[in-house]
Amino acid sequence: MSSFPCNLAIALLHYPVYNKHREVVTTALTNLDLHDIARASRTFGLEHFYIVTPSADQRTLADKIAGHWQDGWGAAYNTDRKEALSIVRVCDTLKNAKADFQSNFSKPVKTVITGAAERSDSITFLELRQALADPDQPVILLLGTGWGLTEPCFEAADHILESIQGTGSYNHLSVRSAAAIMLDRLRGTR
Amino acid sequence: MSSFPCNLAIALLHYPVYNKHREVVTTALTNLDLHDIARASRTFGLEHFYIVTPSADQRTLADKIAGHWQDGWGAAYNTDRKEALSIVRVCDTLKNAKADFQSNFSKPVKTVITGAAERSDSITFLELRQALADPDQPVILLLGTGWGLTEPCFEAADHILESIQGTGSYNHLSVRSAAAIMLDRLRGTR
């Protein structure tokens, strides 16, 4: 580990998000979100991946999944998986995730929210990549589950990241795929 | 659809791949591979995503999953998912997948194989992106499951694509994450 830990973290939020009917809900944890995003985060050098849910049961489940690969038989079966899941932190609120990440840095943590829709007031991937060139500027990338983070989340975030656009009007990446592409654009070798 | 269909396709191969002990096996279908890679492929404009497995039972399962979202109640529940899964084709061999894709083009289909390890004789993402600029040059990107495609597959492919490297020695993306990054690098807006 360098003198600063990696200044980019991901928070996967299970509340407050929309469901299909645009109602505000808490989504259930998806096992492969945890695995895929942990593996991609670790591959691109991140040291903190926050699973955020207000549900105590769901936090217990997340701890159990991550723990299986760290202390259970999974740790011996697949050491690569152990290494990826070691960066997972389970939190009840984004505020607590921010506080945990903040403890590593002197500059205030900035939140950068993501979503599938294009928005006029967004920053580009290149701009965020350049901001991350300052190793003491911590950034948490906020990823939503379900049908996406609610409007008040977009208003509360420090920045909105431009959405990933494909080649046509269809634009329905899984949060796992979106996270992988974002990490590659922000930290991949160019 | 333009006069040519999209000249890039993906084939997800469940045989012949290595298991953890470097034995050659047929892997089981993973439901989320099918969903995530179909959604990412459709987002980046692909019209053919081949699920390849020699197991008749597994092909029936793949057809059933894709069919659920196309004809079952899933089709009405989630029309976006229906659109993504409409590009899925289930095949017993890569040869048959190639023949199906070939029927849309006059130039011979090139196979481009992918893997996590760095290899000296690989082409770069940029080179492949430039080759795809010819709309009549069809390319199938070969993705392995399990612990990756076997050595004879690498020898038989027309080209080897450079591997996605992260920021350190850890490099264990899921095939779903790798596919998303590859599609973005090959067809994403720059």
Side-chain angles (χ1 to χ4, degrees), chain B residues 18-186:
Chain B
Y18 294 120
N19 69 5
K20 180 181 160 66
H21 306 293
R22 214 174 162 82
E23 295 154 346
V24 180
V25 296
T26 301
T27 53
L29 189 72
T30 298
N31 185 20
L32 272 190
D33 286 356
L34 198 152
H35 283 268
D36 278 14
I37 301 175
R39 290 166 68 182
S41 294
R42 184 67 192 79
T43 294
F44 287 100
L46 274 60
E47 292 159 19
H48 299 82
F49 167 34
Y50 296 98
I51 302 283
V52 183
T53 174
S55 159
D57 283 353
Q58 293 278 298
R59 290 198 303 278
T60 302
L61 178 63
D63 278 327
K64 194 172 167 183
I65 294 169
H68 168 77
W69 297 95
Q70 284 175 80
D71 310 311
W73 70 259
Y77 179 75
N78 190 331
T79 52
D80 299 330
R81 199 61 62 91
K82 176 181 180 176
E83 191 172 342
L85 292 183
S86 70
I87 68 168
V88 171
R89 306 276 180 280
V90 182
C91 294
D92 56 347
T93 61
L94 174 60
K95 187 179 170 189
N96 284 337
K98 269 182 79 172
D100 179 82
F101 196 48
Q102 184 65 70
S103 65
N104 302 287
F105 302 91
S106 53
K107 287 190 184 175
V109 169
K110 298 276 191 192
T111 55
V112 176
I113 193 166
T114 68
E118 271 188 286
R119 290 169 185 263
S120 57
D121 48 351
S122 58
I123 61 168
T124 66
F125 279 95
L126 185 59
E127 285 166 337
L128 182 52
R129 191 176 169 114
Q130 287 166 344
L132 289 166
D134 173 359
D136 191 33
Q137 177 54 66
V139 169
I140 299 187
L141 208 56
L142 310 185
L143 300 180
T145 52
W147 266 251
L149 289 159
T150 62
E151 282 307 314
C153 296
F154 279 85
E155 286 154 26
D158 294 310
H159 299 285
I160 299 171
L161 184 59
E162 66 175 322
S163 64
I164 299 166
Q165 292 301 315
T167 55
S169 58
Y170 186 94
N171 182 23
H172 298 282
L173 297 171
S174 71
V175 70
R176 300 169 290 279
S177 297
I181 292 171
M182 287 173 194
L183 287 166
D184 185 47
R185 289 188 181 187
L186 293 174

Side-chain angles (χ1 to χ4, degrees), chain A residues 53 59 102 104-105 133 135 138 140 142-143 151 168 175 183 186:
Chain A
T53 174
R59 290 198 302 279
Q102 185 64 69
N104 302 286
F105 302 91
I140 300 188
L142 310 185
L143 300 180
E151 282 306 315
V175 70
L183 287 166
L186 293 174

Side-chain angles (χ1 to χ4, degrees), chain A residues 16-33:
Chain A
V17 295
Y18 294 120
N19 69 5
K20 179 181 160 65
H21 306 292
R22 213 174 163 85
E23 295 154 346
V24 180
V25 297
T26 301
T27 54
L29 189 73
T30 298
N31 185 20
L32 272 190
D33 286 356

Side-chain angles (χ1 to χ4, degrees), chain A residues 35 39 69-70 74 78-86, chain B residues 170:
Chain A
H35 283 267
R39 291 165 69 182
W69 296 96
Q70 283 175 81
N78 190 332
T79 54
D80 299 329
R81 199 61 62 90
K82 176 182 179 175
E83 192 173 339
L85 292 183
S86 70
Chain B
Y170 186 94

